[in-house]
Amino acid sequence: MAEDRMIDRLEAMVKRQHEIDELLCSEEIMQDVSKLTALNKERASLEEAVEQYLVYKKVNSDLEDAKIMASDSDPEISEFAKESIGELSKQSEELYAKLKILLIPKDENDDKNIVCEIRGAVGGDEANIFAGDLLRMYTRYAETKGWKVQIMDEETNGMGGYSYVAFTIKGDGAYSRLKFESGAHRVQRVPVTEASGRIHTSTATVLVMPEVEEVEIEINPADLKIDTYRSQGAGGQNVNKTESAVRITHIPTGIVAASQVERSQIQNREIAMNLLKARLYAAKKAEQDEKLGNERRLKVGTGERSEKIRTYNYPQNRVTDHRIGFTIQKLDRVINGDLDEILDALVNADQEDKMAQEAKKYND
């Protein structure tokens, strides 16, 4: 039953692609830029699934032919057909599995850049140092992907850590890879601040948000309170002589964003505005998810030790993601940006969850 419904859905997608192709050839659509853009976008969303489905149909057709030929009176034809059955059956199973993944509803934000915030939570200076470790971990991971990292705002401490840091990561699929990093991260190790050599537990919280495009969220300028002040960060004497830092408050929600990382007030204002948009978008999406009863996405909490998504245990060189029960003994590599094994496991778990939800819809 579930397979039949999946095939029906794929057939409907093939039919819709044909309809779009006909519409794209019409003079009326070609003269309407907005409709043309929308149809091209819709076609692009169908293309890969339709293409793979047509291959799947051809393989299954060949498989049926091979089964008939397997009983041919000619031994050579029969033997060839029997050999083909195994190969074609394997191809059919692989294509079917791929189609199930392609039919998973796509996260509209997957292709976007991200805005990320990390805060030292429980553990004082050690928590802030760990926040700095997480920043370097994500920065090094971004470098392996050829992505660009830009600091938006920061509050450093004297130990080389961060009580707070906000940054962007720009690159293809950044959000799709890092969206599951939101939550409380826990570290277990001997702090550099601990003279007696005891293992301490500290936490830092991570929040990953999609970067917001101009058309996605509208902000009324009258709703903004903009303050300027002297930067407290590094950067030489000029930083503190002028009021280059910018703080923007969205009055209706009370959400605040600030930046002091650039020497120019204009640049800091632009950075703060982008950060504000990301926070407003994230708040709006969280509200929508709550109304829909969507509790799948883990949100950043208080940073208490009991509220964790991942533990980094230095004595055992172990990293454990508690949401999916995934553990690897490669902390030294993970903290240096080798995140793909963990991220792949999270993406796969999410896909399995979504496929189960889709199957349930088919069976209901």
Side-chain angles (χ1 to χ4, degrees), residues 95-263:
L95 285 163
Y96 184 76
K98 187 172 183 179
L99 285 168
K100 286 201 293 185
I101 293 173
L102 288 172
L103 288 179
I104 294 172
K106 193 174 186 296
D107 188 329
E108 62 184 6
N109 295 314
D110 272 354
D111 295 329
K112 292 182 179 178
N113 303 322
I114 67 166
V115 174
C116 184
E117 297 181 340
I118 303 175
R119 298 176 187 273
V122 176
D125 285 338
E126 171 62 11
N128 294 338
I129 291 169
F130 179 49
D133 292 338
L134 292 177
L135 171 63
R136 283 185 288 276
M137 180 180 77
Y138 294 127
T139 299
R140 287 169 182 167
Y141 179 71
E143 288 169 354
T144 67
K145 300 296 180 184
W147 298 341
K148 183 181 178 183
V149 178
Q150 181 186 17
I151 300 294
M152 303 179 81
D153 194 20
E154 60 184 14
E155 294 173 11
T156 60
N157 71 349
M159 304 294 294
Y162 295 84
S163 57
Y164 167 75
V165 60
F167 56 99
T168 59
I169 296 181
K170 298 180 183 288
D172 293 339
Y175 186 78
S176 69
R177 294 299 290 167
L178 295 170
K179 62 184 176 182
F180 300 116
E181 291 302 288
S182 290
H185 295 239
R186 181 174 72 168
V187 64
Q188 294 173 326
R189 64 184 177 190
V190 178
V192 294
T193 56
E194 176 60 49
S196 64
R198 294 180 302 163
I199 295 173
H200 279 216
T201 298
S202 304
T203 58
T205 58
V206 176
L207 175 61
V208 175
M209 301 171 284
E211 188 177 52
V212 181
E213 296 173 10
E214 199 67 41
V215 295
E216 292 179 289
I217 190 162
E218 293 183 11
I219 299 177
N220 185 344
D223 290 337
L224 301 179
K225 179 176 181 286
I226 301 175
D227 299 305
T228 59
Y229 56 99
R230 292 186 181 183
S231 173
Q232 301 300 310
Q237 295 179 345
N238 290 335
V239 174
N240 296 316
K241 283 184 177 179
T242 60
E243 293 192 343
S244 58
V246 176
R247 182 189 300 108
I248 304 176
T249 304
H250 185 249
I251 298 169
T253 61
I255 293 175
V256 179
S259 177
Q260 58 178 349
V261 294
E262 299 292 342
R263 294 176 181 273

Side-chain angles (χ1 to χ4, degrees), residues 284-294:
K284 181 180 178 183
K285 192 172 187 303
E287 184 180 345
Q288 291 172 342
D289 288 347
E290 190 174 343
K291 286 179 181 177
L292 293 171
N294 182 0

Side-chain angles (χ1 to χ4, degrees), residues 1 10 36 39 43 51 53 72 88 99 130 135 168 222 229 232 241 248-249 261 305-306 341 350 358 360:
M1 180 66 72
L10 287 161
L36 185 66
L39 284 170
R43 194 189 190 287
E51 183 181 301
Y53 176 56
D72 195 279
L88 290 167
L99 285 168
F130 179 49
L135 171 63
T168 59
Y229 56 99
Q232 301 300 310
K241 283 184 177 179
I248 304 176
T249 304
V261 294
R305 288 181 175 84
S306 60
E341 194 170 347
D350 182 60
E358 287 295 297
K360 186 176 184 299

Side-chain angles (χ1 to χ4, degrees), residues 24 50 55 182 226 247 274 326 364:
L24 289 173
V50 168
V55 174
S182 290
I226 301 175
R247 182 189 300 108
N274 288 337
F326 182 81
D364 285 345

